[in-house]
Structure formats: structure tokens, C-alpha cells
Amino acid sequence: MIVRPPQHWFLRLFDWYGSVLSKILFRLSLNLLMSVFAVIGYQWYETLGIRLTTAPFSLLGVAIAIFLGFRNSASYARFIEARQLWGGLLITQRSLLRQIKSVLLHKPQEAETFAALLTAFSWSLNHQLRHTDDRADLTRLVPARFADEVLRSPFPANRLLLCMGIWLGEQRQQGNISDMLYTGIDHNLNALSKVLGGCERISNTPIPFAYSLILHRTVYLFCTLLPFALVEDLHYMTPLVSVFISYTFLSLEALAEELEDPFGTAPNDLPLNAICNTIERNMKEMNDDFPLPEKLVHDKRYNLI
Amino acid sequence: MIVRPPQHWFLRLFDWYGSVLSKILFRLSLNLLMSVFAVIGYQWYETLGIRLTTAPFSLLGVAIAIFLGFRNSASYARFIEARQLWGGLLITQRSLLRQIKSVLLHKPQEAETFAALLTAFSWSLNHQLRHTDDRADLTRLVPARFADEVLRSPFPANRLLLCMGIWLGEQRQQGNISDMLYTGIDHNLNALSKVLGGCERISNTPIPFAYSLILHRTVYLFCTLLPFALVEDLHYMTPLVSVFISYTFLSLEALAEELEDPFGTAPNDLPLNAICNTIERNMKEMNDDFPLPEKLVHDKRYNLI
Amino acid sequence: MIVRPPQHWFLRLFDWYGSVLSKILFRLSLNLLMSVFAVIGYQWYETLGIRLTTAPFSLLGVAIAIFLGFRNSASYARFIEARQLWGGLLITQRSLLRQIKSVLLHKPQEAETFAALLTAFSWSLNHQLRHTDDRADLTRLVPARFADEVLRSPFPANRLLLCMGIWLGEQRQQGNISDMLYTGIDHNLNALSKVLGGCERISNTPIPFAYSLILHRTVYLFCTLLPFALVEDLHYMTPLVSVFISYTFLSLEALAEELEDPFGTAPNDLPLNAICNTIERNMKEMNDDFPLPEKLVHDKRYNLI
Amino acid sequence: MIVRPPQHWFLRLFDWYGSVLSKILFRLSLNLLMSVFAVIGYQWYETLGIRLTTAPFSLLGVAIAIFLGFRNSASYARFIEARQLWGGLLITQRSLLRQIKSVLLHKPQEAETFAALLTAFSWSLNHQLRHTDDRADLTRLVPARFADEVLRSPFPANRLLLCMGIWLGEQRQQGNISDMLYTGIDHNLNALSKVLGGCERISNTPIPFAYSLILHRTVYLFCTLLPFALVEDLHYMTPLVSVFISYTFLSLEALAEELEDPFGTAPNDLPLNAICNTIERNMKEMNDDFPLPEKLVHDKRYNLI
Amino acid sequence: MIVRPPQHWFLRLFDWYGSVLSKILFRLSLNLLMSVFAVIGYQWYETLGIRLTTAPFSLLGVAIAIFLGFRNSASYARFIEARQLWGGLLITQRSLLRQIKSVLLHKPQEAETFAALLTAFSWSLNHQLRHTDDRADLTRLVPARFADEVLRSPFPANRLLLCMGIWLGEQRQQGNISDMLYTGIDHNLNALSKVLGGCERISNTPIPFAYSLILHRTVYLFCTLLPFALVEDLHYMTPLVSVFISYTFLSLEALAEELEDPFGTAPNDLPLNAICNTIERNMKEMNDDFPLPEKLVHDKRYNLI
């Protein structure tokens, strides 16, 4: 995710990274080509009785803008929900560790075991969503006792939740935690379960495929035909205006597609690694387990992954 | 549900499956026919004093786009809510089994009985929503003791919830679970009840019928009259532009209708079978009950049901 | 509420019942008359210097469509919330009965008393919202002990909730239910209280009156003036196009008004009777109290009340 | 708040009270004046090379309609949230009294003290939001023991909540209520705290001032310039169309401003007095404390305050 | 945040402070310059075959208005959520102190310690979000016992939550609070954790950068080209209309940018200091710890920070 510091409005006009321009450059070039062809060929093909006017394109353009606005909202809602789930992850993990430390006063050992399970859970979810290898992080974090079952599980994040449940059940059985306190903590384990399931839902269920398809097609066809409709009025200005309008539509369509899966590593996706790093630093700080891991910062293009 | 891997933007323009094109092909053909008739008959019927212009159609087109956008949001909201309910089903069932295993440590038998009831609940809900026969799945999954009452009930999914409640009440009566723990688990049974009731609500209460009707009519009439309004300006280009505009409106209307009932088996509906399969695999994995059932994958058209 | 089975797209164009056409037929006829007058009188009144053009009507039409879209969303949100509250009613009542049966194992008598109170609550709420006479249903359902105070109360639904609370408090006092279990069940009584209060809120607080008024006026005035703006371009086609545009605006305005109060018995309102019937059947089934009451089905126009 | 019974659609066109017409009458008159000036002065000022056309006003009008639609949604959302908070107040107070009566069976004295505190809380919140004098109502309602501290507090509503907490804590200390039951009731006190805080938030934090300002300005300037753009096409019809379009925009802007603060006593604001009256009647009825206070009804203009 | 008392509609047209006019004045001046250049150079550059017409700009303008409307909603949603979180902070802190005072009757010492931790938490969150120095406020407020660990923590707000947890755990260990009451209070600590995490989320995760960029660019380019499209129709009126349309688009874009980060101190940002002051006054009043700190009021431009 690009986290750019405030820029002067004029400089911002020429910002390159972070926009989706690179993705649509080829299509914009095609559009430019079409416009030039329209300007040159205009008088020839009009003699064939072929002409387009702006009126129907105006109607179509507004209709597409409305539907594209809807698609943008849908994609953005997924992005926001994903961010809220990961925000909820940090919140719940801090709450859980606070509960454990408050209930098991003066038992730092237990708090550290539990904090390790929590940190492992967040990294495991990260790897699951990004389809990356979780082996290194799990080996590094999961307490020895649970390492084996977590590492060989096909659903390691959910298994880690089960391990927390078992650990908690044992504390209860040993009398360290009353049934009442157990229930209060278990409530937050349910919250972690909701985060896990929510992320899986976003990751596994795209926006209905036909939406993307219909809009992708109509936006592209609209931009391709546009120069032929503009040329009669605008002559030499056709390429400028046509590319400008196409940029507006194509870039928003491309961005909607990028935001639809917010768990990738593109410039507009969520910085899962940075969030996991924040969680790890928080867990360690609450246990006074210094030094904390280095804080993850953005690269020189202000990109945080 | 179509879950297509990322495609090149150009190939996507020609993707056939997953779009709703097949549903509206006939209407588009009619529109093409109308356009051709408009082009041919234009000069004849104008002598009769009959003419249409683009201005009122532009106004009407934008108005219909706004209302269609509203209908799309309403349908999509149903789709999203249905997906969230089924996501909540997986979440709650994992939480419930985690609670049982954490509270009844070292009683694998009990956990298996409960997991079977949970799995049966999800399949039963699936069959209820799709109006398919649940006999085979219920016989396969429901523990013998409850099989009879569930199979002969007119509301098997709700009956399964009642069975879980009774099972839990007995565990409490036998002293395996304190009142406090009972309440914590019962809280999640309420959540299952909410999933069941929510799905029934979506399934039984369509979007008010008049919305579908009014939009269906106005979209169709609009597309039918459109070529006659365009022909004066566009001549030979009328069929191309008219079919293009009609495609935009008709396809979005058809998609809204498809999403309105997200529990079907159309390409844009929810993959209930795959979710049930995921739940079953999760339940078994948490009980270390290997081998897990095979994972359900999409067919060669990327369709998952 | 109309629950029509899937129709062929062509037949649907001519569906009469369920649309709001009957409500606006008179206004559409007036519009037709105006159009005819505009066509006939056009040349005469233009000599007086009176003319209208489409440009300002196009602007106005789009503005009204945007505001009408907003009003539709507001009305539809009320409809949806009302449906969710009644869905929540069914959910909570099933949960409550499940809890009672699970906690008071082998006390069918108590479960039946409680189920009767629940069923009475749903019918009472139904009658309160539709301003119909609840006497027959309350007499039929409320257990003798509570009948008197409920029947003479000015707020019978809320009184029934109080009775459930008292009944539960007595069970607690008699030691049948521990404080913990009491709290878990009481939590669901709060949920019933929320359903009651939510329905009352929707029923008592309409959308701010000025919204309805402003839109009602502008839509009507717009439709009345429209033919005079169209006639210059469209001549003989004015009546067709004018009535078509008016139908789009008037019907959506009429539908928004119908949905605003979702508790009526119009074709687009909620089928409260059918929901109460479902609740009653569910309560009886859970108590194995056969035969169940007959299932309420739609009449031959697919109308369910 | 105006609660008008259903009207015939034709009569409704001429309804005066309840619309915001009175607020914008002066601005509409100015607009009429401008229009007349435009019609008269048209030919003179055109010779100076000054002319306006509808095209840019059409673009601007649609843009303003979109932004105005957004502002309307924002204002309406505040109205709805305020209504939900007050609905939640009634719900929670009924639930609390039900809990108290169910837990403290046969202690009518205690239930009456608590009901008095609840009723006082709702009136106190009402007075706080409307900046009216709460002295009379607090003196009438607050039990003698708490009267002093509530009356001299700068935050009387919050103080009443504290009093309820203290009262409940004392019941717990005296052993009338177990810790478990205490927690269940305290949960609903938290809900009252949310209502209080929510209302304060709406009351203290307006929609960002710049929104109102920008829209107020652009709407007004748009309406002022409009006649000069219309006059070329419409001649003598300019005043009619210009005032009609201005009415649409100005009235919706004025309504948005009125709804922004829903706690006033304007015709589209919430009837806080009527809700407090309903609460008081409910509390008394639940305690069988007859006769109930008179029900507050609307005045002869259907206005309920 | 500007909290202006109601103004006469006419005066409001000329209100300067609180609008974002100062931010876009330079861009508006550029636009004015462009317009003048267009008027003067019009006939010269048209001989070169360069011309623009309003039709494509109308289409583009509506499309941009739709996308800008979406961006405004997204920014405003962040503002509203931030305000709700801070409202939730006040609510939860009042609830927590009420609980403590109700459970630990007649232990004013303990209530004061806890109130100090709560007040410190709100100021600490304020400083964290505004990147200001929290040293003075923490030293002033945090009880001596916890001062050290809070002051040297990299996450002081979260550390304060941990301190509250530890304090509560100790009360439980000393037998002042039963497990049940502990859980009820701990529930509200979780709510504080949610406020903290929610604010951090809004503060750390801007709206996807590409949205701002694309809209910033298209709005600016649109406004720059606009005069050249208007000049053919409007001649001398071009500067007026062009600046007016540009003002509408640029000011809403600028406001969206300002609302995106609601924790700043700009005129449309949230008054965090005033909320913290309210919290501090409430905490003290509940503990009868007079005199209360002075109430923070707006400066003479009605700005509250």
C-alpha cells in the first residue's frame, strides 16, 4: 500500500507510482491510435455513410459511470471490510493478552506462550491469504508443544485457534481460571474465529464474475468507439479529449479490479506484513520482552507491503 | 459460482461462460432486428410524421440507469448477506467445536457426535435452500440417536439445532458442563439459529415484485424504441450502437435478477456445496479424523456449485 | 406480498397484478390527455410565444431521478429492516424455546406454556401493527393465568414480554433455573423487546413528510409539463414517449409510498400473517405437538398476506 | 413531526404545512423576479454580448443534484440514527423494568423507584437535547433520595445513570441481586449510556460545515443564473420553468438543513415529547400504576412535538 | 471543527472561514486566467482548427461528479466513523466509572485512581493521533504507580489499557470484585481496545492512494479545459460560468481530502481536545471532584480544536 506524505496539489498531478496508470497504458495507447485514425480517416468513411454522434455516447457514458460507480463501491467495501478485519485482529489480540495477564497475574511464562500463539496466528493468516510459505514463521513462533500439529495441518490458522482453545481449557482444568473467566476469554477467541472466517470469505468469493465482465467489456467498447463520435465536433482535439475520457473510465475500472482482492501486494492492497509486524511488536511490548522487532517501514516509493 | 483465475484484459473481452449473455441473446437479436428495420424503414415512416429524437431517450436512459443501479445494489446486497451468513456458519461451527473440545478435554467421542450434528446442519440448510433431497446426507451424517426425529421433521435444520440444544442440556445435567460454560456454548447455538433464519428470510422474501416488474418493463421498452431514436443521427451505425446500449442495460437487469436469489446453482450463485464440503473437512480435521473428504473443485469452466 | 414463480421474460412484460399500475392509471390517463392536447394545440399556442424545449426538462428529469432514487432507497430500507425484525422474531422465538427445552429437560408442560406465550406475542405484534382486533388470537393462545392482564392492557405485546419475564423469574425462584441460565434466556427476551420496539418505530415514524411532499409534487408537475416540451421534436409520437417516461417516474414514486409502510396488506407489503403462521407451526413442531396448523399459502394471484 | 394520514394524491399536491415551502418562499420570489427581468431585459443585454446557454447549466445541475443527493443522505442518516437511539431508549427502559420486576418478584416499591429513575432519564435527555428547562420534570420524577445530586449536576442525564448504578450496586450489596443478575441488568445500563452518548454526538457534531456552505452557495448561485440560461429557448415560459427547477433544488437543500439537527421542534423533527410520554405511560402500565398520563396527540395540523 | 450558530441564508453565502475556499483560491485564479485567455484567444486558435464543444465535457462532468460523489462518501464515512469511535470513548468511560463506583461502593479512592487512568487514556489517544507530545498530560494524569511504565512505552495508550487490566486483576485477586463482576467490567475494557484500534486503523490506512490521484487529476484537467469548451457558446460569460463550475468541483475535492484524515486540526476536523476536556469534566463530576476543569469553547471564528 502506498502511504504518501501530503503533496503539493501541483506535484500530485504528475505522481506516477501508486496510480494504476502502468496497467492501462497499453489500452490508452490503443485509444490514442484510434483517435488519430478517426481524425485522419474521418472524411473518407463518412462518404460511406458511417457516422457517430455524441448524443448516444453521452447517454451511454453516464449509464456506464453509474454502473462503474456501483462496482467501485462494491470493491471498496471489500477493501474496507478486509482492513476492518485486520484491525479487529490487532484489537482482539491485544485484548486477549491483556485478559491473560490480568487474570494470571505474575505468570509471565503463560503469557508468553499465549502471546506466541497469537503472533503465530496473525502470520499464519497472512501467509494463507497471500498463498506464501508459512513454514519459517510457524517454526519460529509456535511453541514446541503445538508445533507439530500446526505444521502438518491443512488449515494451520484454524488449528492455532484450536490450540489456544485447548491451552485455555487446560488452564481451566488446572484451576488457574474459573469457568466465568474462561468464558470471557473464550468470547475473544470467537472474535478471532470471525476474523479468520471473514478474511477467507473475502479471499474465496470474488464479486460475481458477470459484473466484472459486463463492465470490462462496455468500458472498453465505449472507449474504443468514442473517438469516432467526437471527431465530427472536435477535429484535431479528438485525441486529447478521447484519451482524457478514456483515462477516467479505464483507470477507475482497473482500480476497482485491484481493490477487489485487497490481500495482494499491489500498491493499493493492504500492508499485511506491516500489520503482522505491529502485532508482534505489541505482543512483545505488553510482555516487556525487549528488544522489540524492528518496525517495518515503506520503501522509497512509499510502498508498504 | 464462476471463480476464474486472472485473465489478460484482452482475452476477458471475449469470455463467454459466466456472463449472462446467453440469457439475453434472444432479446438482443430482437433489438438487432428492430435496428435493421429502423434503418430500412426510416424514410418511409418519417413521411407519416412519425419521428423520435435522442433527447427524451437520453433523459430516460439516465433515469433508468439510476433506478437500475438501485436495483443492482439491492440484489447485490442480498448476495453479500447470503455469503456472510454462510461465512458465519463456518465460523460459528468451528468456534462451537473448539469450545466443545476445550471444555470436554479428552472426550473425543462427544466431540465427534457434536461435529456430526454440525456437519448435518450445514448440509440440511443447503438442501432446504436449494429444494433438493436431504435424505442421503442426513442418513449419512446424523448420529443414530437423533436420526429418527430429524428425518421425519418438516423443519430438519431447525430440528438439528434443537437436538444440539438437548445434547448440550444433557451434558449439563450430567455435570460435564457447568451452567457458565453451557451459556457460552449456547450463545453460539443462537448464532446458528440466526444463520438459519437469515437464509430463510432471503430465500422466502424476494425484492418487492413491483421493482422487478417496473424495471423489466421500462428497460425492455427503452431498448425496443431506442433504434428509432438513434437512426436519424446514426444511419447505418444504428444497429451497432443500439445493440451495444441494449447489451449494457439488459445484461445488468438480467444479472440483478440472477443475484436476487443467491442460493441457486447458476454461474453467479453461491457455491453452497463447496462451502458445506469445506465445513465437513474442517470439522474432521479438528477431530483428527483422517482421511478428510476430497476437496470440491470447480469444473473445467471454473464453475463451483 | 406477491411471490410469483419465475416467469418467461416476455410474459412478465404484461403482468398486471403486483405492479402498482392500478394506482397510477388515472394519473397516466391525465398525462395521455395532456399529450394529445399538446399535439393538437401545439401550433396554436406557439403563436402566443409559449414554448418549452427538452433541455431544461432533461436537467430536471435527471435531478428528479436522483432524488427519487434516494427516496426509493429510504423506503426500501424500511421494508428491509421490517423484514429483518420479523425474521429476528422467528429466530429468537426458536432460540428461546430451544433454550427452555434444553434447560428444563423432560418438562414438556413448561415448554408448552412458554411456547404459547411466544406465539401469542407474534400474533399480538401483528395485530398491533396492522391495527386489527387481537382479541380472538389472544384468547386462543394466552395461557389462562396471564390471559386477564394481557387482554386488558393497552400495550398487550409488551405485557406479554413482561409475563414471560415474570414466568422466568418464578422458575428461577423455584430453583428450576440458576441465575446463570436465567441471564442467558433473559438475553433473548431483550432481543424480543428490540423487535417490538423496532417495529413500533417503523410504524410510528414515517419518512419526513416533506420528502414525500416535495417529490410527489415535482414528479407530478414534471410529468404534466413534459408533453409540451416533447411535442416540438416528436409530434405524433409525443403521447407514447410522454406516457412511457411518466410511467417510469410515477410508478416508482407510487411504489416508494407503498413500501414506506411495510406492515399493510398491499401486494408489496410484508406477509405478517404467513410469518406468524410459520412461527406457530415451528413452536408446535419443536414441542412435538401434532397436528401442526395448516400452512398459509398465497391466493391465486400469488398474494400472501 | 408531521404525521399526516394518507391523502388523495391530488390533494397532496396542495398541502402547505409540513413542506419547507415557507422557508424558501423569499428565495423563490427572488428567483421569479430574476426570471421576469431576464425575459424583459433579454434582447437588451444580448446586444452587449452577454449570453448564457443551457448546456453548461445542464452539466452543473446534474453535478449539484448528485452532491445534494449525498448531503440529503447524510442528513437523513442523522435523522434515522437519532430516531433509532430514541427507539432504543424505549426498548431498553422496558427491558430494564422487566428485568427488575422479574428478579425482584413481589417488591413493587423497588420497581417503582427504578421506573421513576428511568422516566426521569428520558425527560432529562429530552431537555438536554432541546436546551429547555428540566427543573420541573426532574423535581416531579426523581425519587427524593437522589433529587439533590441530580438537580445540581451539570450533566443530569448522566448523573441519573450513575444513580441507577448506585441503586443497583446497593441491591447487590444487600443480597437482593446476585452478581450474575447484576451483570445482566448492568448490561442494559450500558445500553442507556450508549443512547445518551449517541444523542450528544449527533447534537454536538454537525455535518462538516464546508458541506453546507458549498452546497448552499452553489445551489443558490445556480438558481439565480438559471433564468438567464433558459430565456433564449423558453421566452415567456422562463419564469414557470425556472421557479419549478429552483423549487426542486432549494426545497431539498432546506429540508437537508432541517433534518441535520433532528432534535428541534420543526415540522420534520423528531417528536421527543411524544416519545417521552410513551415511555412514561409504558413504565406506569408495567407497574400497574393507573391512571396512565394522557396520551400526547398531534395538533390540528398533524404536528407532534 | 467549525460549529457555527444558525445563520441567515443570505449571510451564509458570504461566509469565508470554514469553507475550503482558501485552499483552492490559487487554482481558481488559474482557472480565471485560462477563461480570460480563452475569451481573448478564441478566434485566433479556432483558425488553427482547434475547437472544443460542451457535449463531451457534459458527459465527462457528470461522470466525474459521480466518482467525486463516491469519494466524498468514502471520506465522510471515515469522518463519521472517527466521530463515532470518540463518542464511544466517552460512553464507555462513563460506563466503566459507573460500574466501578457501583461495584466498589464507598471506596472513592479506587474510583479516583481508575478515573485518572481513563482520563489519561483519552488524552494519550488524542496525542497519538495528532502526533503531539503527550508527556505533560501523562505526567499530570497517570497515577504514580503506573507512571513509569506508561511514560517509557512506545505504545502508551495501549499500555494504559494494560494497566487498567492489571489494576482490575488485582482487585479481583484481593476479593473486592468477583469473577462475574470482573468479566462485566472487562467487557468494557475490550470496548476501549476497539476504540483505540479503530482510530489507529483510520489514521494509518488512507483511502487507496490511486483514488485521490485519479480524481485529483481528472478534476483539475477538466476544470482547465472547461473554458475552452464553454467559450464558443458563452463568450464574455465564460469566466463567470467556468469559475463557478470549477469552484463546485474543486471545493468538494478539497473537502474530501480534508475529511479523509479527521484527526487533524483543520476547520473541518474533529475537536479531539474538546472531547477530551468533556471526558475529563465528566469523570471528575461523577467522582464529585470539584471544581471541574474549565469547559473548552470555540475561538471567535467558531473553531473548536
Side-chain angles (χ1 to χ4, degrees), chain D residues 27 51 60 67 153 158-159 161 165 172 179-180 182 186 190 193 200 205 210-211 213 216-218, chain E residues 9 13 15 19 72 83 94-95 98-99 102-103 178 180-181 233 237 244 247-248 252 282 285 288:
Chain D
R27 272 169 282 178
R51 57 191 293 250
L60 193 57
F67 300 137
S153 166
N158 187 42
R159 194 74 195 193
L161 264 184
R172 188 185 73 85
D179 284 11
M180 187 64 236
Y182 170 90
D186 184 68
N190 286 345
S193 186
E200 288 175 346
T205 308
Y211 273 126
L213 211 58
H216 188 75
R217 251 175 217 164
T218 47
Chain E
W9 66 266
L13 291 176
D15 196 310
S19 88
N72 262 290
R83 183 60 187 86
R94 291 203 285 219
S95 289
R98 193 200 67 237
Q99 288 178 316
S102 156
V103 163
S178 71
M180 187 64 236
L181 298 174
D233 280 3
M237 297 304 278
F244 179 23
Y247 170 68
T248 311
L252 282 166
N282 266 273
E285 197 270 346
D288 293 305

Side-chain angles (χ1 to χ4, degrees), chain D residues 288-301:
Chain D
D288 294 304
D289 178 4
F290 298 98
L292 306 184
E294 198 90 348
K295 186 175 175 180
L296 225 95
V297 292
H298 53 71
D299 63 17
K300 65 181 194 293
R301 287 171 184 178

Side-chain angles (χ1 to χ4, degrees), chain C residues 66-93:
Chain C
I66 290 170
F67 300 137
L68 197 50
F70 163 68
R71 171 136 158 65
N72 262 290
S73 301
S75 285
Y76 182 62
R78 288 167 66 89
F79 173 85
I80 286 292
E81 196 194 356
R83 182 61 187 86
Q84 279 172 337
L85 287 167
W86 275 83
L89 184 62
L90 170 59
I91 291 166
T92 311
Q93 300 211 344

Side-chain angles (χ1 to χ4, degrees), chain E residues 25-98:
Chain E
L25 209 57
F26 184 69
R27 272 170 281 179
L28 280 182
S29 311
L30 279 184
N31 188 272
L32 184 65
L33 220 76
M34 280 306 212
S35 308
V36 172
F37 173 76
V39 172
I40 296 173
Y42 170 54
Q43 289 180 317
W44 165 73
Y45 68 72
E46 201 174 40
T47 58
L48 305 178
I50 296 174
R51 57 191 294 249
L52 289 171
T53 54
T54 45
F57 278 80
S58 184
L59 150 63
L60 193 57
V62 176
I64 290 179
I66 291 169
F67 300 136
L68 196 52
F70 163 68
R71 171 137 157 65
N72 262 290
S73 302
S75 285
Y76 182 63
R78 288 167 66 88
F79 173 85
I80 285 293
E81 196 195 354
R83 183 60 187 86
Q84 279 172 335
L85 287 168
W86 275 83
L89 185 63
L90 170 59
I91 291 166
T92 312
Q93 299 211 344
R94 291 203 285 219
S95 289
L96 271 166
L97 189 52
R98 193 200 67 237

Side-chain angles (χ1 to χ4, degrees), chain B residues 41-244:
Chain B
Y42 170 54
Q43 289 181 316
W44 164 72
Y45 68 71
E46 203 175 39
T47 57
L48 305 178
I50 297 172
R51 57 191 293 249
L52 288 171
T53 54
T54 44
F57 278 79
S58 184
L59 150 62
L60 193 57
V62 175
I64 290 180
I66 291 169
F67 301 137
L68 196 50
F70 163 68
R71 171 136 158 66
N72 262 290
S73 300
S75 285
Y76 182 63
R78 289 168 66 88
F79 174 84
I80 285 292
E81 195 194 358
R83 182 61 187 87
Q84 279 172 336
L85 288 167
W86 274 83
L89 185 62
L90 170 59
I91 291 167
T92 312
Q93 299 211 343
R94 290 204 286 219
S95 288
L96 271 165
L97 190 51
R98 192 199 67 238
Q99 287 178 316
I100 294 291
K101 286 182 77 76
S102 155
V103 162
L104 301 176
L105 286 169
H106 321 302
K107 294 200 179 171
Q109 194 74 46
E110 309 297 339
E112 267 170 44
T113 305
F114 200 74
L117 283 169
L118 289 171
T119 313
F121 177 77
S122 65
W123 279 106
S124 170
L125 181 55
N126 179 344
H127 287 296
Q128 177 180 335
L129 295 171
R130 287 190 164 164
H131 310 292
T132 46
D133 188 11
D134 57 3
R135 229 165 169 83
D137 278 316
L138 289 185
T139 314
R140 173 170 72 88
L141 290 163
V142 181
R145 193 194 133 189
F146 297 111
D148 197 43
E149 60 179 305
V150 171
L151 277 161
R152 63 151 215 268
S153 166
F155 315 113
N158 187 43
R159 194 76 196 193
L160 278 162
L161 265 184
L162 182 59
C163 294
M164 293 184 218
I166 298 296
W167 182 89
L168 202 63
E170 288 171 356
Q171 296 292 330
R172 188 186 72 85
Q173 216 182 28
Q174 293 161 23
N176 294 333
I177 295 179
S178 71
D179 284 11
M180 186 65 235
L181 298 173
Y182 171 90
T183 303
I185 298 167
D186 184 68
H187 188 76
N188 272 329
L189 288 188
N190 286 346
L192 285 190
S193 187
K194 275 173 202 162
V195 169
L196 171 60
C199 287
E200 287 174 346
R201 168 169 51 78
I202 293 177
S203 175
N204 293 338
T205 308
I207 291 177
F209 185 60
Y211 273 126
S212 321
L213 211 58
I214 295 170
L215 272 164
H216 188 75
R217 250 175 217 164
T218 47
V219 165
Y220 188 73
L221 195 52
F222 174 75
C223 292
T224 304
L225 291 177
L226 190 61
F228 300 95
L230 295 177
V231 71
E232 195 173 2
D233 281 2
L234 301 182
H235 300 292
Y236 299 136
M237 297 305 278
T238 304
L240 176 68
V241 175
S242 169
V243 169
F244 179 23

Side-chain angles (χ1 to χ4, degrees), chain C residues 87-273:
Chain C
L89 184 62
L90 170 59
I91 291 166
T92 311
Q93 300 211 344
R94 289 203 287 218
S95 289
L96 271 165
L97 189 52
R98 194 200 65 238
Q99 287 178 317
I100 293 292
K101 285 182 78 75
S102 156
V103 161
L104 301 177
L105 285 169
H106 320 303
K107 295 199 177 171
Q109 193 75 46
E110 310 295 339
E112 267 169 44
T113 305
F114 199 75
L117 283 169
L118 289 171
T119 313
F121 177 78
S122 65
W123 279 106
S124 170
L125 180 55
N126 180 345
H127 287 296
Q128 177 180 335
L129 295 171
R130 287 190 164 165
H131 310 291
T132 46
D133 188 11
D134 56 4
R135 230 166 168 82
D137 278 315
L138 290 185
T139 314
R140 172 171 71 88
L141 290 163
V142 181
R145 194 195 133 188
F146 297 110
D148 197 44
E149 60 179 305
V150 171
L151 277 161
R152 63 150 217 269
S153 166
F155 315 114
N158 187 43
R159 194 75 196 193
L160 277 162
L161 264 185
L162 182 58
C163 294
M164 293 183 218
I166 298 295
W167 181 89
L168 202 63
E170 288 170 356
Q171 295 293 331
R172 188 185 73 84
Q173 216 182 27
Q174 293 160 23
N176 294 333
I177 294 179
S178 71
D179 284 11
M180 187 65 236
L181 298 173
Y182 171 89
T183 303
I185 298 168
D186 183 69
H187 188 76
N188 272 330
L189 289 188
N190 286 346
L192 285 191
S193 187
K194 275 174 202 162
V195 170
L196 171 59
C199 288
E200 287 174 346
R201 168 169 51 77
I202 293 177
S203 175
N204 294 337
T205 309
I207 291 177
F209 185 59
Y211 272 125
S212 321
L213 210 59
I214 295 170
L215 272 165
H216 188 74
R217 251 175 217 165
T218 48
V219 165
Y220 187 73
L221 195 51
F222 173 76
C223 292
T224 304
L225 291 178
L226 191 61
F228 300 94
L230 295 176
V231 71
E232 194 173 5
D233 281 2
L234 302 182
H235 301 292
Y236 299 135
M237 296 305 278
T238 303
L240 175 68
V241 175
S242 170
V243 168
F244 178 23
I245 296 182
S246 298
Y247 169 68
T248 309
F249 282 88
L250 289 175
S251 62
L252 282 166
E253 205 256 340
L255 179 54
E257 210 170 301
E258 194 169 314
L259 289 184
E260 201 185 313
D261 175 22
F263 297 127
T265 52
N268 293 295
D269 288 336
L270 289 174
L272 300 194
N273 286 5

